[in-house]
Amino acid sequence: MPVIARRTLLSALACTAAGPLHATDKTQPGITLRFSHVVAEETPKGLAANRFKVLVEQRSGGRIGVQVFPNAQLYGDHDEMQALQLGAVDMVAPSLSKFGRIGLPEFELFDLPFLFDDLTAVRRITQGQLGQKLLQGLSRQGLVGLGFFDNGFKQMSANRPLLEPKDFVNLRMRVQASRVIAAQMRALGARPVTLAFSETRHALAAGVVDGTENPVSNFWTQAMHEVQSDLSLTDHGYLGYAVVTNQRLWHSLAKPDRELINKALQEALSFANQIADTQNDQALAALRGTGTTRVHTLKPDQRARLRTAVQPVQQQLASRIGAGWLRSLQEALGQA
Ligand code: LMR
């Protein structure tokens, strides 16, 4: 899979050398948390990060500040996790598809196509024991997982309708760095190209890739409708996030501060879960309003054929995700 890197870690190292903004020195009362993410502010993640900032700053009387860096301003997909591990930023919220590349391939179970019927099914994992176990695994990378939240279900776009497996044949489809998503695209006959989110619109405009998948809020806020003539409402997979911080930072905070931060975050995440669907619906309405992109709704038999085409993915990727994780997943979803 070709990988086009956006930035190098040099910028992360430069920040670390300059010293992180958060105060670990107990004599310094002020703390500033830097929260970096890759999407626009008017998305479920952007709104959650901003809500978290407001809650933390209000409740700490301004003693704890949160600086939010949206749109990959500071770090993109290829370096945000390392920046976090190095302490150059304090919080990130990558999509669950981006944890495999840092040695946690079990997170890619969320990418299995047609796995979840709805968000209630997603909750059985993210709010259940399996979700807790996934977050605990982040300690293997020196990280602390603070919680999950939704964007929603992904749709497919290209300069043609994508309604049947044959429509995907030989298309270069931008994917996140997830082997499960890459296998899904191959199962449809497409060629997966791993690209950072921040590079995607440009790559679509330049014809480096032909199409992509994302929930509509991401598609709309990156103005991908300007460079894709067709959006097919496939709802074929889930896109969600985990908020992570660095163990060193987390354990350096006083317990009351940790509690304040965690409570504000949980409220911001449940707010994001409440508005995520609406954000995607509003984005779809706005997109329809522009008239630049034709929107296709799949017939049940078309969706069934896509589902059949990608069925082998679970078997193919079982050893990467881990048989134990898949068993627990099926039990939690009542599919065992
Ligand atoms: C993507 O890379 O397509 C998404 O993960 C971006 C995001 O964070 O929603």
Side-chain angles (χ1 to χ4, degrees), residues 102-126:
I102 62 155
L104 297 157
E106 60 272 20
F107 276 76
E108 290 182 14
L109 60 83
F110 288 99
D111 296 329
L112 289 168
F114 296 97
L115 176 69
F116 299 111
D117 289 335
D118 50 31
L119 290 175
T120 309
V122 173
R123 296 278 179 279
R124 283 194 205 116
I125 309 305
T126 54

mmCIF file with all atom_site columns, all heavy atoms in Angstrom, residues 102-126:
data_model
loop_
_atom_site.group_PDB
_atom_site.id
_atom_site.type_symbol
_atom_site.label_atom_id
_atom_site.label_alt_id
_atom_site.label_comp_id
_atom_site.label_asym_id
_atom_site.label_entity_id
_atom_site.label_seq_id
_atom_site.pdbx_PDB_ins_code
_atom_site.Cartn_x
_atom_site.Cartn_y
_atom_site.Cartn_z
_atom_site.occupancy
_atom_site.B_iso_or_equiv
_atom_site.pdbx_formal_charge
_atom_site.auth_seq_id
_atom_site.auth_comp_id
_atom_site.auth_asym_id
_atom_site.auth_atom_id
_atom_site.pdbx_PDB_model_num
ATOM 1   N N   . ILE A 1 102 ? 0.057   1.474  15.575 1.00 0.00 ? 102 ILE A N   1
ATOM 2   C CA  . ILE A 1 102 ? 0.948   1.624  16.727 1.00 0.00 ? 102 ILE A CA  1
ATOM 3   C C   . ILE A 1 102 ? 0.971   0.348  17.573 1.00 0.00 ? 102 ILE A C   1
ATOM 4   O O   . ILE A 1 102 ? 1.254   0.372  18.769 1.00 0.00 ? 102 ILE A O   1
ATOM 5   C CB  . ILE A 1 102 ? 0.629   2.868  17.593 1.00 0.00 ? 102 ILE A CB  1
ATOM 6   C CG1 . ILE A 1 102 ? -0.770  2.790  18.204 1.00 0.00 ? 102 ILE A CG1 1
ATOM 7   C CG2 . ILE A 1 102 ? 0.811   4.156  16.820 1.00 0.00 ? 102 ILE A CG2 1
ATOM 8   C CD1 . ILE A 1 102 ? -0.911  3.629  19.491 1.00 0.00 ? 102 ILE A CD1 1
ATOM 9   N N   . GLY A 1 103 ? 0.663   -0.769 16.933 1.00 0.00 ? 103 GLY A N   1
ATOM 10  C CA  . GLY A 1 103 ? 0.814   -2.049 17.626 1.00 0.00 ? 103 GLY A CA  1
ATOM 11  C C   . GLY A 1 103 ? -0.415  -2.493 18.383 1.00 0.00 ? 103 GLY A C   1
ATOM 12  O O   . GLY A 1 103 ? -0.313  -3.337 19.278 1.00 0.00 ? 103 GLY A O   1
ATOM 13  N N   . LEU A 1 104 ? -1.592  -1.949 18.045 1.00 0.00 ? 104 LEU A N   1
ATOM 14  C CA  . LEU A 1 104 ? -2.829  -2.374 18.711 1.00 0.00 ? 104 LEU A CA  1
ATOM 15  C C   . LEU A 1 104 ? -3.850  -2.787 17.643 1.00 0.00 ? 104 LEU A C   1
ATOM 16  O O   . LEU A 1 104 ? -4.911  -2.147 17.486 1.00 0.00 ? 104 LEU A O   1
ATOM 17  C CB  . LEU A 1 104 ? -3.374  -1.231 19.573 1.00 0.00 ? 104 LEU A CB  1
ATOM 18  C CG  . LEU A 1 104 ? -2.445  -0.801 20.726 1.00 0.00 ? 104 LEU A CG  1
ATOM 19  C CD1 . LEU A 1 104 ? -2.726  0.619  21.173 1.00 0.00 ? 104 LEU A CD1 1
ATOM 20  C CD2 . LEU A 1 104 ? -2.576  -1.748 21.900 1.00 0.00 ? 104 LEU A CD2 1
ATOM 21  N N   . PRO A 1 105 ? -3.553  -3.857 16.883 1.00 0.00 ? 105 PRO A N   1
ATOM 22  C CA  . PRO A 1 105 ? -4.415  -4.229 15.755 1.00 0.00 ? 105 PRO A CA  1
ATOM 23  C C   . PRO A 1 105 ? -5.815  -4.641 16.163 1.00 0.00 ? 105 PRO A C   1
ATOM 24  O O   . PRO A 1 105 ? -6.730  -4.631 15.339 1.00 0.00 ? 105 PRO A O   1
ATOM 25  C CB  . PRO A 1 105 ? -3.663  -5.408 15.112 1.00 0.00 ? 105 PRO A CB  1
ATOM 26  C CG  . PRO A 1 105 ? -2.770  -5.927 16.172 1.00 0.00 ? 105 PRO A CG  1
ATOM 27  C CD  . PRO A 1 105 ? -2.410  -4.760 17.049 1.00 0.00 ? 105 PRO A CD  1
ATOM 28  N N   . GLU A 1 106 ? -6.004  -4.981 17.457 1.00 0.00 ? 106 GLU A N   1
ATOM 29  C CA  . GLU A 1 106 ? -7.356  -5.381 17.900 1.00 0.00 ? 106 GLU A CA  1
ATOM 30  C C   . GLU A 1 106 ? -8.372  -4.251 17.715 1.00 0.00 ? 106 GLU A C   1
ATOM 31  O O   . GLU A 1 106 ? -9.566  -4.498 17.556 1.00 0.00 ? 106 GLU A O   1
ATOM 32  C CB  . GLU A 1 106 ? -7.339  -5.889 19.345 1.00 0.00 ? 106 GLU A CB  1
ATOM 33  C CG  . GLU A 1 106 ? -6.862  -4.913 20.398 1.00 0.00 ? 106 GLU A CG  1
ATOM 34  C CD  . GLU A 1 106 ? -5.347  -4.921 20.629 1.00 0.00 ? 106 GLU A CD  1
ATOM 35  O OE1 . GLU A 1 106 ? -4.601  -5.384 19.737 1.00 0.00 ? 106 GLU A OE1 1
ATOM 36  O OE2 . GLU A 1 106 ? -4.903  -4.438 21.698 1.00 0.00 ? 106 GLU A OE2 1
ATOM 37  N N   . PHE A 1 107 ? -7.899  -2.991 17.696 1.00 0.00 ? 107 PHE A N   1
ATOM 38  C CA  . PHE A 1 107 ? -8.827  -1.876 17.475 1.00 0.00 ? 107 PHE A CA  1
ATOM 39  C C   . PHE A 1 107 ? -9.450  -1.933 16.077 1.00 0.00 ? 107 PHE A C   1
ATOM 40  O O   . PHE A 1 107 ? -10.493 -1.337 15.839 1.00 0.00 ? 107 PHE A O   1
ATOM 41  C CB  . PHE A 1 107 ? -8.118  -0.523 17.661 1.00 0.00 ? 107 PHE A CB  1
ATOM 42  C CG  . PHE A 1 107 ? -8.032  -0.067 19.088 1.00 0.00 ? 107 PHE A CG  1
ATOM 43  C CD1 . PHE A 1 107 ? -7.120  -0.638 19.962 1.00 0.00 ? 107 PHE A CD1 1
ATOM 44  C CD2 . PHE A 1 107 ? -8.867  0.927  19.571 1.00 0.00 ? 107 PHE A CD2 1
ATOM 45  C CE1 . PHE A 1 107 ? -7.039  -0.226 21.288 1.00 0.00 ? 107 PHE A CE1 1
ATOM 46  C CE2 . PHE A 1 107 ? -8.800  1.354  20.885 1.00 0.00 ? 107 PHE A CE2 1
ATOM 47  C CZ  . PHE A 1 107 ? -7.881  0.767  21.750 1.00 0.00 ? 107 PHE A CZ  1
ATOM 48  N N   . GLU A 1 108 ? -8.794  -2.639 15.170 1.00 0.00 ? 108 GLU A N   1
ATOM 49  C CA  . GLU A 1 108 ? -9.325  -2.706 13.798 1.00 0.00 ? 108 GLU A CA  1
ATOM 50  C C   . GLU A 1 108 ? -10.608 -3.542 13.722 1.00 0.00 ? 108 GLU A C   1
ATOM 51  O O   . GLU A 1 108 ? -11.239 -3.599 12.673 1.00 0.00 ? 108 GLU A O   1
ATOM 52  C CB  . GLU A 1 108 ? -8.252  -3.213 12.835 1.00 0.00 ? 108 GLU A CB  1
ATOM 53  C CG  . GLU A 1 108 ? -7.157  -2.181 12.628 1.00 0.00 ? 108 GLU A CG  1
ATOM 54  C CD  . GLU A 1 108 ? -6.079  -2.601 11.638 1.00 0.00 ? 108 GLU A CD  1
ATOM 55  O OE1 . GLU A 1 108 ? -6.286  -3.582 10.893 1.00 0.00 ? 108 GLU A OE1 1
ATOM 56  O OE2 . GLU A 1 108 ? -5.017  -1.951 11.629 1.00 0.00 ? 108 GLU A OE2 1
ATOM 57  N N   . LEU A 1 109 ? -10.989 -4.157 14.825 1.00 0.00 ? 109 LEU A N   1
ATOM 58  C CA  . LEU A 1 109 ? -12.258 -4.905 14.768 1.00 0.00 ? 109 LEU A CA  1
ATOM 59  C C   . LEU A 1 109 ? -13.420 -3.958 14.453 1.00 0.00 ? 109 LEU A C   1
ATOM 60  O O   . LEU A 1 109 ? -14.406 -4.356 13.832 1.00 0.00 ? 109 LEU A O   1
ATOM 61  C CB  . LEU A 1 109 ? -12.494 -5.699 16.063 1.00 0.00 ? 109 LEU A CB  1
ATOM 62  C CG  . LEU A 1 109 ? -12.601 -5.012 17.420 1.00 0.00 ? 109 LEU A CG  1
ATOM 63  C CD1 . LEU A 1 109 ? -13.981 -4.464 17.694 1.00 0.00 ? 109 LEU A CD1 1
ATOM 64  C CD2 . LEU A 1 109 ? -12.250 -6.034 18.508 1.00 0.00 ? 109 LEU A CD2 1
ATOM 65  N N   . PHE A 1 110 ? -13.281 -2.685 14.862 1.00 0.00 ? 110 PHE A N   1
ATOM 66  C CA  . PHE A 1 110 ? -14.350 -1.721 14.567 1.00 0.00 ? 110 PHE A CA  1
ATOM 67  C C   . PHE A 1 110 ? -14.488 -1.475 13.066 1.00 0.00 ? 110 PHE A C   1
ATOM 68  O O   . PHE A 1 110 ? -15.500 -0.950 12.623 1.00 0.00 ? 110 PHE A O   1
ATOM 69  C CB  . PHE A 1 110 ? -14.055 -0.379 15.256 1.00 0.00 ? 110 PHE A CB  1
ATOM 70  C CG  . PHE A 1 110 ? -14.234 -0.414 16.754 1.00 0.00 ? 110 PHE A CG  1
ATOM 71  C CD1 . PHE A 1 110 ? -13.143 -0.561 17.602 1.00 0.00 ? 110 PHE A CD1 1
ATOM 72  C CD2 . PHE A 1 110 ? -15.503 -0.315 17.309 1.00 0.00 ? 110 PHE A CD2 1
ATOM 73  C CE1 . PHE A 1 110 ? -13.312 -0.580 18.979 1.00 0.00 ? 110 PHE A CE1 1
ATOM 74  C CE2 . PHE A 1 110 ? -15.681 -0.336 18.686 1.00 0.00 ? 110 PHE A CE2 1
ATOM 75  C CZ  . PHE A 1 110 ? -14.576 -0.472 19.525 1.00 0.00 ? 110 PHE A CZ  1
ATOM 76  N N   . ASP A 1 111 ? -13.447 -1.776 12.308 1.00 0.00 ? 111 ASP A N   1
ATOM 77  C CA  . ASP A 1 111 ? -13.466 -1.511 10.863 1.00 0.00 ? 111 ASP A CA  1
ATOM 78  C C   . ASP A 1 111 ? -14.124 -2.626 10.060 1.00 0.00 ? 111 ASP A C   1
ATOM 79  O O   . ASP A 1 111 ? -14.310 -2.473 8.844  1.00 0.00 ? 111 ASP A O   1
ATOM 80  C CB  . ASP A 1 111 ? -12.022 -1.343 10.344 1.00 0.00 ? 111 ASP A CB  1
ATOM 81  C CG  . ASP A 1 111 ? -11.342 -0.128 10.943 1.00 0.00 ? 111 ASP A CG  1
ATOM 82  O OD1 . ASP A 1 111 ? -12.053 0.849  11.242 1.00 0.00 ? 111 ASP A OD1 1
ATOM 83  O OD2 . ASP A 1 111 ? -10.109 -0.152 11.096 1.00 0.00 ? 111 ASP A OD2 1
ATOM 84  N N   . LEU A 1 112 ? -14.425 -3.748 10.710 1.00 0.00 ? 112 LEU A N   1
ATOM 85  C CA  . LEU A 1 112 ? -15.009 -4.860 9.946  1.00 0.00 ? 112 LEU A CA  1
ATOM 86  C C   . LEU A 1 112 ? -16.296 -4.386 9.265  1.00 0.00 ? 112 LEU A C   1
ATOM 87  O O   . LEU A 1 112 ? -17.181 -3.820 9.930  1.00 0.00 ? 112 LEU A O   1
ATOM 88  C CB  . LEU A 1 112 ? -15.297 -6.046 10.865 1.00 0.00 ? 112 LEU A CB  1
ATOM 89  C CG  . LEU A 1 112 ? -14.038 -6.767 11.368 1.00 0.00 ? 112 LEU A CG  1
ATOM 90  C CD1 . LEU A 1 112 ? -14.381 -7.733 12.508 1.00 0.00 ? 112 LEU A CD1 1
ATOM 91  C CD2 . LEU A 1 112 ? -13.344 -7.515 10.220 1.00 0.00 ? 112 LEU A CD2 1
ATOM 92  N N   . PRO A 1 113 ? -16.382 -4.571 7.951  1.00 0.00 ? 113 PRO A N   1
ATOM 93  C CA  . PRO A 1 113 ? -17.549 -4.028 7.242  1.00 0.00 ? 113 PRO A CA  1
ATOM 94  C C   . PRO A 1 113 ? -18.843 -4.733 7.638  1.00 0.00 ? 113 PRO A C   1
ATOM 95  O O   . PRO A 1 113 ? -18.854 -5.935 7.888  1.00 0.00 ? 113 PRO A O   1
ATOM 96  C CB  . PRO A 1 113 ? -17.205 -4.276 5.763  1.00 0.00 ? 113 PRO A CB  1
ATOM 97  C CG  . PRO A 1 113 ? -16.082 -5.247 5.759  1.00 0.00 ? 113 PRO A CG  1
ATOM 98  C CD  . PRO A 1 113 ? -15.387 -5.180 7.077  1.00 0.00 ? 113 PRO A CD  1
ATOM 99  N N   . PHE A 1 114 ? -19.909 -3.967 7.692  1.00 0.00 ? 114 PHE A N   1
ATOM 100 C CA  . PHE A 1 114 ? -21.261 -4.463 7.997  1.00 0.00 ? 114 PHE A CA  1
ATOM 101 C C   . PHE A 1 114 ? -21.318 -5.213 9.334  1.00 0.00 ? 114 PHE A C   1
ATOM 102 O O   . PHE A 1 114 ? -22.113 -6.120 9.510  1.00 0.00 ? 114 PHE A O   1
ATOM 103 C CB  . PHE A 1 114 ? -21.785 -5.365 6.863  1.00 0.00 ? 114 PHE A CB  1
ATOM 104 C CG  . PHE A 1 114 ? -21.946 -4.625 5.569  1.00 0.00 ? 114 PHE A CG  1
ATOM 105 C CD1 . PHE A 1 114 ? -20.950 -4.668 4.599  1.00 0.00 ? 114 PHE A CD1 1
ATOM 106 C CD2 . PHE A 1 114 ? -23.077 -3.867 5.324  1.00 0.00 ? 114 PHE A CD2 1
ATOM 107 C CE1 . PHE A 1 114 ? -21.084 -3.972 3.399  1.00 0.00 ? 114 PHE A CE1 1
ATOM 108 C CE2 . PHE A 1 114 ? -23.227 -3.158 4.137  1.00 0.00 ? 114 PHE A CE2 1
ATOM 109 C CZ  . PHE A 1 114 ? -22.229 -3.222 3.167  1.00 0.00 ? 114 PHE A CZ  1
ATOM 110 N N   . LEU A 1 115 ? -20.459 -4.815 10.270 1.00 0.00 ? 115 LEU A N   1
ATOM 111 C CA  . LEU A 1 115 ? -20.428 -5.494 11.573 1.00 0.00 ? 115 LEU A CA  1
ATOM 112 C C   . LEU A 1 115 ? -21.567 -5.020 12.474 1.00 0.00 ? 115 LEU A C   1
ATOM 113 O O   . LEU A 1 115 ? -22.220 -5.813 13.138 1.00 0.00 ? 115 LEU A O   1
ATOM 114 C CB  . LEU A 1 115 ? -19.082 -5.198 12.251 1.00 0.00 ? 115 LEU A CB  1
ATOM 115 C CG  . LEU A 1 115 ? -18.913 -5.741 13.656 1.00 0.00 ? 115 LEU A CG  1
ATOM 116 C CD1 . LEU A 1 115 ? -18.831 -7.265 13.616 1.00 0.00 ? 115 LEU A CD1 1
ATOM 117 C CD2 . LEU A 1 115 ? -17.650 -5.179 14.310 1.00 0.00 ? 115 LEU A CD2 1
ATOM 118 N N   . PHE A 1 116 ? -21.770 -3.702 12.499 1.00 0.00 ? 116 PHE A N   1
ATOM 119 C CA  . PHE A 1 116 ? -22.754 -3.119 13.422 1.00 0.00 ? 116 PHE A CA  1
ATOM 120 C C   . PHE A 1 116 ? -24.027 -2.748 12.661 1.00 0.00 ? 116 PHE A C   1
ATOM 121 O O   . PHE A 1 116 ? -23.956 -2.077 11.631 1.00 0.00 ? 116 PHE A O   1
ATOM 122 C CB  . PHE A 1 116 ? -22.201 -1.841 14.060 1.00 0.00 ? 116 PHE A CB  1
ATOM 123 C CG  . PHE A 1 116 ? -20.948 -2.061 14.866 1.00 0.00 ? 116 PHE A CG  1
ATOM 124 C CD1 . PHE A 1 116 ? -19.725 -1.563 14.428 1.00 0.00 ? 116 PHE A CD1 1
ATOM 125 C CD2 . PHE A 1 116 ? -20.988 -2.762 16.063 1.00 0.00 ? 116 PHE A CD2 1
ATOM 126 C CE1 . PHE A 1 116 ? -18.569 -1.749 15.174 1.00 0.00 ? 116 PHE A CE1 1
ATOM 127 C CE2 . PHE A 1 116 ? -19.836 -2.951 16.814 1.00 0.00 ? 116 PHE A CE2 1
ATOM 128 C CZ  . PHE A 1 116 ? -18.625 -2.443 16.367 1.00 0.00 ? 116 PHE A CZ  1
ATOM 129 N N   . ASP A 1 117 ? -25.175 -3.160 13.209 1.00 0.00 ? 117 ASP A N   1
ATOM 130 C CA  . ASP A 1 117 ? -26.435 -2.798 12.559 1.00 0.00 ? 117 ASP A CA  1
ATOM 131 C C   . ASP A 1 117 ? -26.787 -1.345 12.848 1.00 0.00 ? 117 ASP A C   1
ATOM 132 O O   . ASP A 1 117 ? -27.436 -0.685 12.050 1.00 0.00 ? 117 ASP A O   1
ATOM 133 C CB  . ASP A 1 117 ? -27.578 -3.686 13.064 1.00 0.00 ? 117 ASP A CB  1
ATOM 134 C CG  . ASP A 1 117 ? -27.426 -5.094 12.529 1.00 0.00 ? 117 ASP A CG  1
ATOM 135 O OD1 . ASP A 1 117 ? -26.792 -5.250 11.460 1.00 0.00 ? 117 ASP A OD1 1
ATOM 136 O OD2 . ASP A 1 117 ? -27.904 -6.037 13.188 1.00 0.00 ? 117 ASP A OD2 1
ATOM 137 N N   . ASP A 1 118 ? -26.402 -0.876 14.020 1.00 0.00 ? 118 ASP A N   1
ATOM 138 C CA  . ASP A 1 118 ? -26.740 0.495  14.411 1.00 0.00 ? 118 ASP A CA  1
ATOM 139 C C   . ASP A 1 118 ? -25.840 0.916  15.573 1.00 0.00 ? 118 ASP A C   1
ATOM 140 O O   . ASP A 1 118 ? -25.000 0.141  16.032 1.00 0.00 ? 118 ASP A O   1
ATOM 141 C CB  . ASP A 1 118 ? -28.230 0.581  14.811 1.00 0.00 ? 118 ASP A CB  1
ATOM 142 C CG  . ASP A 1 118 ? -28.602 -0.500 15.817 1.00 0.00 ? 118 ASP A CG  1
ATOM 143 O OD1 . ASP A 1 118 ? -27.729 -0.889 16.613 1.00 0.00 ? 118 ASP A OD1 1
ATOM 144 O OD2 . ASP A 1 118 ? -29.747 -0.975 15.807 1.00 0.00 ? 118 ASP A OD2 1
ATOM 145 N N   . LEU A 1 119 ? -26.062 2.138  16.063 1.00 0.00 ? 119 LEU A N   1
ATOM 146 C CA  . LEU A 1 119 ? -25.198 2.651  17.136 1.00 0.00 ? 119 LEU A CA  1
ATOM 147 C C   . LEU A 1 119 ? -25.449 1.939  18.461 1.00 0.00 ? 119 LEU A C   1
ATOM 148 O O   . LEU A 1 119 ? -24.562 1.896  19.320 1.00 0.00 ? 119 LEU A O   1
ATOM 149 C CB  . LEU A 1 119 ? -25.376 4.164  17.286 1.00 0.00 ? 119 LEU A CB  1
ATOM 150 C CG  . LEU A 1 119 ? -24.807 4.986  16.118 1.00 0.00 ? 119 LEU A CG  1
ATOM 151 C CD1 . LEU A 1 119 ? -25.127 6.468  16.291 1.00 0.00 ? 119 LEU A CD1 1
ATOM 152 C CD2 . LEU A 1 119 ? -23.295 4.792  15.966 1.00 0.00 ? 119 LEU A CD2 1
ATOM 153 N N   . THR A 1 120 ? -26.618 1.343  18.622 1.00 0.00 ? 120 THR A N   1
ATOM 154 C CA  . THR A 1 120 ? -26.865 0.574  19.845 1.00 0.00 ? 120 THR A CA  1
ATOM 155 C C   . THR A 1 120 ? -25.909 -0.613 19.896 1.00 0.00 ? 120 THR A C   1
ATOM 156 O O   . THR A 1 120 ? -25.364 -0.949 20.952 1.00 0.00 ? 120 THR A O   1
ATOM 157 C CB  . THR A 1 120 ? -28.328 0.065  19.854 1.00 0.00 ? 120 THR A CB  1
ATOM 158 O OG1 . THR A 1 120 ? -29.166 1.184  19.598 1.00 0.00 ? 120 THR A OG1 1
ATOM 159 C CG2 . THR A 1 120 ? -28.721 -0.578 21.150 1.00 0.00 ? 120 THR A CG2 1
ATOM 160 N N   . ALA A 1 121 ? -25.686 -1.217 18.755 1.00 0.00 ? 121 ALA A N   1
ATOM 161 C CA  . ALA A 1 121 ? -24.742 -2.349 18.698 1.00 0.00 ? 121 ALA A CA  1
ATOM 162 C C   . ALA A 1 121 ? -23.313 -1.856 18.985 1.00 0.00 ? 121 ALA A C   1
ATOM 163 O O   . ALA A 1 121 ? -22.551 -2.522 19.697 1.00 0.00 ? 121 ALA A O   1
ATOM 164 C CB  . ALA A 1 121 ? -24.830 -3.021 17.338 1.00 0.00 ? 121 ALA A CB  1
ATOM 165 N N   . VAL A 1 122 ? -22.975 -0.690 18.470 1.00 0.00 ? 122 VAL A N   1
ATOM 166 C CA  . VAL A 1 122 ? -21.636 -0.128 18.730 1.00 0.00 ? 122 VAL A CA  1
ATOM 167 C C   . VAL A 1 122 ? -21.448 0.045  20.241 1.00 0.00 ? 122 VAL A C   1
ATOM 168 O O   . VAL A 1 122 ? -20.409 -0.296 20.809 1.00 0.00 ? 122 VAL A O   1
ATOM 169 C CB  . VAL A 1 122 ? -21.453 1.235  18.021 1.00 0.00 ? 122 VAL A CB  1
ATOM 170 C CG1 . VAL A 1 122 ? -20.143 1.893  18.430 1.00 0.00 ? 122 VAL A CG1 1
ATOM 171 C CG2 . VAL A 1 122 ? -21.527 1.077  16.501 1.00 0.00 ? 122 VAL A CG2 1
ATOM 172 N N   . ARG A 1 123 ? -22.496 0.571  20.900 1.00 0.00 ? 123 ARG A N   1
ATOM 173 C CA  . ARG A 1 123 ? -22.414 0.825  22.349 1.00 0.00 ? 123 ARG A CA  1
ATOM 174 C C   . ARG A 1 123 ? -22.128 -0.440 23.154 1.00 0.00 ? 123 ARG A C   1
ATOM 175 O O   . ARG A 1 123 ? -21.533 -0.387 24.219 1.00 0.00 ? 123 ARG A O   1
ATOM 176 C CB  . ARG A 1 123 ? -23.738 1.382  22.880 1.00 0.00 ? 123 ARG A CB  1
ATOM 177 C CG  . ARG A 1 123 ? -24.131 2.687  22.352 1.00 0.00 ? 123 ARG A CG  1
ATOM 178 C CD  . ARG A 1 123 ? -23.435 3.845  23.083 1.00 0.00 ? 123 ARG A CD  1
ATOM 179 N NE  . ARG A 1 123 ? -23.903 5.044  22.455 1.00 0.00 ? 123 ARG A NE  1
ATOM 180 C CZ  . ARG A 1 123 ? -23.411 5.522  21.313 1.00 0.00 ? 123 ARG A CZ  1
ATOM 181 N NH1 . ARG A 1 123 ? -22.361 4.957  20.756 1.00 0.00 ? 123 ARG A NH1 1
ATOM 182 N NH2 . ARG A 1 123 ? -23.927 6.583  20.739 1.00 0.00 ? 123 ARG A NH2 1
ATOM 183 N N   . ARG A 1 124 ? -22.652 -1.579 22.670 1.00 0.00 ? 124 ARG A N   1
ATOM 184 C CA  . ARG A 1 124 ? -22.400 -2.826 23.409 1.00 0.00 ? 124 ARG A CA  1
ATOM 185 C C   . ARG A 1 124 ? -20.900 -3.078 23.526 1.00 0.00 ? 124 ARG A C   1
ATOM 186 O O   . ARG A 1 124 ? -20.435 -3.714 24.445 1.00 0.00 ? 124 ARG A O   1
ATOM 187 C CB  . ARG A 1 124 ? -23.057 -4.010 22.695 1.00 0.00 ? 124 ARG A CB  1
ATOM 188 C CG  . ARG A 1 124 ? -24.517 -4.033 22.940 1.00 0.00 ? 124 ARG A CG  1
ATOM 189 C CD  . ARG A 1 124 ? -25.154 -5.363 22.539 1.00 0.00 ? 124 ARG A CD  1
ATOM 190 N NE  . ARG A 1 124 ? -26.533 -5.042 22.258 1.00 0.00 ? 124 ARG A NE  1
ATOM 191 C CZ  . ARG A 1 124 ? -27.129 -5.157 21.085 1.00 0.00 ? 124 ARG A CZ  1
ATOM 192 N NH1 . ARG A 1 124 ? -26.503 -5.691 20.071 1.00 0.00 ? 124 ARG A NH1 1
ATOM 193 N NH2 . ARG A 1 124 ? -28.359 -4.787 20.920 1.00 0.00 ? 124 ARG A NH2 1
ATOM 194 N N   . ILE A 1 125 ? -20.158 -2.575 22.555 1.00 0.00 ? 125 ILE A N   1
ATOM 195 C CA  . ILE A 1 125 ? -18.701 -2.748 22.616 1.00 0.00 ? 125 ILE A CA  1
ATOM 196 C C   . ILE A 1 125 ? -18.072 -1.574 23.359 1.00 0.00 ? 125 ILE A C   1
ATOM 197 O O   . ILE A 1 125 ? -17.346 -1.767 24.336 1.00 0.00 ? 125 ILE A O   1
ATOM 198 C CB  . ILE A 1 125 ? -18.100 -2.830 21.188 1.00 0.00 ? 125 ILE A CB  1
ATOM 199 C CG1 . ILE A 1 125 ? -18.849 -3.874 20.354 1.00 0.00 ? 125 ILE A CG1 1
ATOM 200 C CG2 . ILE A 1 125 ? -16.599 -3.105 21.249 1.00 0.00 ? 125 ILE A CG2 1
ATOM 201 C CD1 . ILE A 1 125 ? -18.922 -5.249 20.960 1.00 0.00 ? 125 ILE A CD1 1
ATOM 202 N N   . THR A 1 126 ? -18.355 -0.356 22.909 1.00 0.00 ? 126 THR A N   1
ATOM 203 C CA  . THR A 1 126 ? -17.617 0.794  23.455 1.00 0.00 ? 126 THR A CA  1
ATOM 204 C C   . THR A 1 126 ? -17.951 1.048  24.926 1.00 0.00 ? 126 THR A C   1
ATOM 205 O O   . THR A 1 126 ? -17.107 1.539  25.669 1.00 0.00 ? 126 THR A O   1
ATOM 206 C CB  . THR A 1 126 ? -17.894 2.064  22.629 1.00 0.00 ? 126 THR A CB  1
ATOM 207 O OG1 . THR A 1 126 ? -19.309 2.269  22.551 1.00 0.00 ? 126 THR A OG1 1
ATOM 208 C CG2 . THR A 1 126 ? -17.319 1.959  21.234 1.00 0.00 ? 126 THR A CG2 1
#
